[in-house]
Amino acid sequence: MPQALLFGAVASSALIVGALVGMRFELPKRVLAILLSFAAGALVTALAFELFEDAYEMGGIWRAAIGLLVGALVFTLLSALLDRAAQPGKGAPADEVAGSAKLDTDAAATDARASKASTRGTAGLALLAAVTLDGVPENVALGVSLTEGSGGLALLAAIFVSNLPEALVGASSMKEQGMSGRKVLGLWSVCALLLVGAVVLGAGPLASAEAETISLPLAFAAGAVIASLADTLMPEAYEHGGPAVAMSTAAGFVLSFVLSLA
């Protein structure tokens, strides 16, 4: 249990760090794109070697495949609703947002004016909801990996580096909307505590569950991750970083893969 708390605290600390940076600094969009693409590369390793592979070994291909598709479907449907919430209201001119409207980096960047999605604050709140949506199954899977003896370092690194830019962008959007720093930090702190609890859940009550049962949250998390890559992280990274993000994506993959061998 102490190890689960430690891993949960490290993974979720990125939300607090990202929120603090987002409230205090504005970064060039290319830097944000590099962060997002690096996170995407790390998540590719995690979903392939820490999530889906374990789900397949524990529950077989059909259980793993169905769990992955369900996770991807749930994330896609809820992500579409969150994107709609982050768009300007009726009667307001719509900003053209490539990728995902909820991951609107304008508020966090020095080289672009904040879009209406950012200044309305819904982009930040929607991103907070999205982080919680895919973060809970990811962190449950992280807790499960600790009980299976696989270490979970690659998944821990992937969760950390993906949480950081998402919290940064989300907190910046909330700040642009006029939300107080205390409230912004409080919201992201609550999310961080929830995700720590998910790790403890995976390492505690689920530790004694049957392998077939454990395979389901692992596969669901893999589906949510792969959907978030296609729907949010990769489109946003390419939009603002161009072809150069290919190298940072590769670097994230290599680092995460090396950690998976530890």
Side-chain angles (χ1 to χ4, degrees):
M1 194 59 65
Q3 186 183 22
L5 287 172
L6 176 62
F7 271 58
V10 171
S12 300
S13 66
L15 296 175
I16 309 299
V17 174
L20 289 172
V21 173
M23 288 189 296
R24 295 181 179 273
F25 303 101
E26 291 182 342
L27 302 177
K29 277 206 168 184
R30 185 171 294 274
V31 173
L32 291 174
I34 290 173
L35 289 173
L36 291 171
S37 58
F38 186 88
L43 285 170
V44 169
T45 300
L47 77 90
F49 300 108
E50 294 275 354
L51 296 175
F52 190 74
E53 183 178 43
D54 287 350
Y56 162 69
E57 292 176 350
M58 292 179 183
I61 186 59
W62 286 108
R63 189 181 296 266
I66 292 173
L68 182 142
L69 292 174
V70 170
L73 177 63
V74 170
F75 182 91
T76 301
L77 292 176
L78 293 181
S79 178
L81 293 175
L82 295 174
D83 280 344
R84 184 176 301 177
Q87 293 287 359
K90 290 184 178 181
D95 291 321
E96 183 178 349
V97 180
S100 175
K102 64 182 173 293
L103 192 51
D104 182 359
T105 56
D106 290 339
T110 57
D111 51 355
R113 296 180 61 185
S115 71
K116 290 181 174 62
S118 292
T119 55
R120 286 174 64 241
T122 50
L125 292 172
L127 186 53
L128 176 65
V131 169
T132 305
L133 170 65
D134 63 356
V136 168
E138 285 175 5
N139 281 266
V140 168
L142 177 60
V144 169
S145 71
L146 298 178
T147 66
E148 293 298 315
S150 57
L153 285 177
L155 185 55
L156 173 64
I159 293 173
F160 184 93
V161 298
S162 63
N163 282 344
L164 183 64
E166 290 177 329
L168 191 159
V169 173
S172 298
S173 175
M174 294 174 179
K175 181 190 70 172
E176 284 288 338
Q177 191 260 351
M179 192 178 294
S180 69
R182 179 174 298 180
K183 185 175 181 180
V184 172
L185 187 59
L187 288 172
W188 286 99
S189 297
V190 169
C191 180
L193 289 174
L194 177 62
L195 297 187
V196 171
V199 178
V200 174
L201 175 65
L206 289 181
S208 58
E210 296 291 333
E212 290 81 2
T213 301
I214 296 176
S215 71
L216 292 175
L218 292 176
F220 185 93
V225 168
I226 201 168
S228 69
L229 288 172
D231 171 80
T232 304
L233 293 179
M234 287 181 171
E236 189 72 21
Y238 182 81
E239 172 68 16
H240 302 297
V245 301
M247 294 307 300
S248 54
T249 303
F253 176 87
V254 170
L255 175 62
S256 186
F257 183 80
V258 170
L259 291 175
S260 72
L261 300 177

